[in-house]
Amino acid sequence: MPYNPPFSITPTILKQVAEISESIGRLSARIEQTQVLRLRRANRIRTIQGSLAIEGNTLSEAQITAILDGKRIIAPPKEVLEVQNALKAYEFLAKWQYSSEQDLLHAHQVLMAGLLTDAGQYRQGGVGVMSGDTVVHMAPGADQVPRLMKDLLGWLKQTDLPALISSCVFHYEFEFIHPFADGNGRMGRLWQTLILSQWLPAFMDIPVESLIHQHQGEYYQAIRASTAKTDCAPFIEFMLGIIAKTLHEVQNTTETELAVESEKMRVEEQVKTRVKTPEQILMLLTKQPNLTLVEIAAHLGKSTSTIERAVAKLKQQNKLAFHGPKKGGYWQVLGE
């Protein structure tokens, strides 16, 4: 009989899914309007900083940016390695399939390389979920992990639930199983991002982990509440709330970026219109000396007669000369 994780769809969950779907639609449209590479880079850095901070990594966004740029920083080697591994993992993200056990193990190997002797392998001993110094959940025995993960990935592959919900269910179940000796938290968050990004690529660069870090206590509380109820609805509601808040923040940031770009274009256009036609002609012919008068007019959005008058004046002022035959000749911009 196929495995089905214990969860219920509450009215809150349905409302959250509808709101997120509407929000991500608006955000995707805005992202398509412009290539805000600085924004994407900043969000990736926030994502990594937030996810690792939950696990105790103290590096700031500025330090992670420096590592991304190949610069050396003064910091604990272990924390630097965690960041380097996370950066590599996000480079692989688009290549992994979320229902593949092989890809899941590879992802853990990449994330935990040099940090864990059995990176990329399921744990061989007992483990618990910690919140500070408190054990909030004792995971199933190590001998059960391969079967439980096979069942969970099998369910994920065949479920027809919306990705917003199935990703939350997987995240909770993954943390419940706690299949690895270490790195389960960052793996669960990474894999939820993978599931969501294969539904909508925009999620590849939306820093959900950053907000989870800000609400870390509620994150663990949602796990405890779901475990106590044998129903991960509390965790689904928590995660959907976090996703909705993150989308709102990113949307506001994107709108700001777009406004800045729009203002920049407006100023450039004003500067362009203040430059007189003769100066525009000289600047253009410096770069493209083989243009005809008709082509110059087309480039500058002027009439051919206007260009002819301006060119004649430039010749009189010894600022412009034409060499060669009428067809196939070239312009020379003369010095002052």
Side-chain angles (χ1 to χ4, degrees):
M1 185 175 179
Y3 172 71
N4 284 298
F7 67 93
S8 56
I9 304 297
T10 66
T12 299
I13 290 173
L14 291 175
K15 181 180 178 183
Q16 288 173 316
V17 168
E19 290 175 350
I20 291 171
S21 297
E22 181 180 349
S23 182
I24 194 66
R26 291 195 302 268
L27 180 61
S28 296
R30 285 184 171 85
I31 289 175
E32 288 173 3
Q33 291 174 16
T34 183
Q35 292 295 323
V36 192
L37 297 180
R38 294 189 305 278
L39 178 62
R40 295 187 64 191
R41 174 184 166 93
N43 284 344
R44 175 64 54 83
I45 291 168
R46 285 182 60 199
T47 294
I48 291 171
Q49 193 275 334
S51 188
L52 293 179
I54 296 172
E55 309 300 329
N57 189 295
T58 62
L59 297 193
S60 65
E61 290 181 24
Q63 289 174 305
I64 293 174
T65 300
I67 294 173
L68 182 58
D69 291 337
K71 299 176 182 177
R72 294 176 64 86
I73 65 169
I74 300 175
K78 176 178 178 290
E79 296 192 2
V80 173
L81 182 56
E82 286 178 337
V83 170
Q84 292 171 334
N85 288 355
L87 289 169
K88 289 178 185 176
Y90 275 90
E91 289 176 5
F92 273 107
L93 202 61
K95 301 177 183 179
W96 288 323
Q97 290 298 317
Y98 59 71
S99 60
S100 168
E101 183 177 45
Q102 181 179 354
D103 286 349
L104 182 85
L105 295 175
H106 181 224
H108 186 259
Q109 184 179 40
V110 172
L111 269 180
M112 303 305 292
L115 300 168
L116 195 65
T117 55
D118 56 352
Q121 302 175 43
Y122 291 139
R123 59 183 166 86
Q124 298 299 309
V127 70
V129 179
M130 304 291 293
S131 177
D133 296 326
T134 306
V135 178
V136 297
H137 167 64
M138 283 304 300
D143 58 334
Q144 300 183 55
V145 169
R147 174 184 60 82
L148 292 172
M149 287 305 302
K150 181 179 179 181
D151 287 346
L152 180 57
L153 290 169
W155 169 82
L156 186 60
K157 184 176 183 178
Q158 60 81 35
T159 184
D160 56 2
L161 281 172
L164 284 168
I165 296 177
S166 64
S167 65
C168 294
V169 174
F170 176 88
H171 189 161
Y172 168 77
E173 287 287 305
F174 183 88
E175 301 306 334
F176 182 88
I177 297 168
H178 237 58
F180 300 108
D182 194 14
N184 293 285
R186 67 196 78 172
M187 269 298 300
R189 293 185 290 276
L190 175 71
W191 223 244
Q192 178 161 18
T193 296
L194 174 62
I195 297 168
L196 290 170
S197 66
Q198 291 191 356
W199 168 53
L200 281 175
F203 273 103
M204 189 81 73
D205 300 293
I206 293 174
V208 174
E209 286 88 342
S210 180
L211 262 185
I212 293 177
H213 176 230
Q214 295 174 32
H215 298 270
Q216 191 169 344
E218 297 168 51
Y219 175 71
Y220 288 116
Q221 177 56 37
I223 292 177
R224 289 195 294 268
S226 295
T227 302
K229 292 181 65 174
T230 320
D231 182 337
C232 61
F235 186 78
I236 297 172
E237 290 184 3
F238 168 77
M239 282 305 306
L240 291 180
I242 288 293
I243 291 171
K245 289 178 182 178
T246 306
L247 288 176
H248 180 70
E249 286 191 1
V250 172
Q251 185 170 310
N252 288 341
T253 305
T254 304
E255 288 175 350
T256 301
E257 288 278 344
L258 288 172
V260 170
E261 291 294 324
S262 177
E263 177 63 16
K264 181 180 177 182
M265 291 174 63
R266 187 185 67 80
V267 171
E268 288 177 352
E269 187 61 29
Q270 284 184 338
V271 171
K272 182 178 177 181
T273 56
R274 285 199 297 267
V275 177
K276 294 180 180 180
T277 300
E279 294 170 337
Q280 290 179 313
I281 292 173
L282 293 176
M283 287 188 289
L284 180 61
L285 291 179
T286 299
K287 298 177 181 177
Q288 302 182 62
N290 300 109
L291 294 178
T292 66
L293 293 177
V294 173
E295 289 171 335
I296 295 170
H299 272 278
L300 300 182
K302 308 286 185 179
S303 67
T304 304
S305 59
T306 298
I307 297 302
E308 288 175 345
R309 288 194 297 271
V311 167
K313 187 175 181 180
L314 288 169
K315 286 181 176 180
Q316 291 175 359
Q317 296 171 342
N318 292 320
K319 292 183 178 180
L320 187 65
F322 187 80
H323 302 282
K326 191 172 182 180
K327 291 185 178 180
Y330 67 94
W331 297 96
Q332 179 185 9
V333 176
L334 305 173
E336 294 295 334

